[in-house]
Amino acid sequence: MTFEQFETWAMYICVGGLVVFMFFIVWDLAKKSKAGKFGTFVLFGVLGFAIMVFVIKEVFVHMLG
């Protein structure tokens, strides 16, 4: 395994772990603040949008590269 392959796998694993941790944080925040259904939807919508932007960026990088 080359360093570039290790770096790529490590990035995907670490970012995936970070996303899971952020979902837990947002869920806990919504629960503790009693945000309700709409507030929880908005919190998770913003987090989902950030994840979607990361995925779109990766797709564009692979398409252009």
Side-chain angles (χ1 to χ4, degrees):
M1 177 182 282
T2 65
F3 183 72
E4 289 84 16
Q5 290 171 332
F6 172 75
E7 194 175 59
T8 301
W9 277 98
M11 183 192 67
Y12 287 128
I13 291 170
C14 290
V15 168
L18 181 64
V19 166
V20 170
F21 186 58
M22 286 191 308
F23 268 108
F24 171 73
I25 291 171
V26 169
W27 176 76
D28 191 48
L29 176 68
K31 184 178 162 187
K32 286 183 179 178
S33 68
K34 299 176 185 164
K37 290 181 182 179
F38 181 70
T40 303
F41 174 75
V42 170
L43 288 170
F44 278 108
V46 170
L47 180 59
F49 181 72
I51 295 167
M52 185 178 64
V53 168
F54 176 76
V55 170
I56 290 172
K57 179 196 72 97
E58 288 297 318
V59 169
F60 280 141
V61 166
H62 286 294
M63 284 175 48
L64 295 175

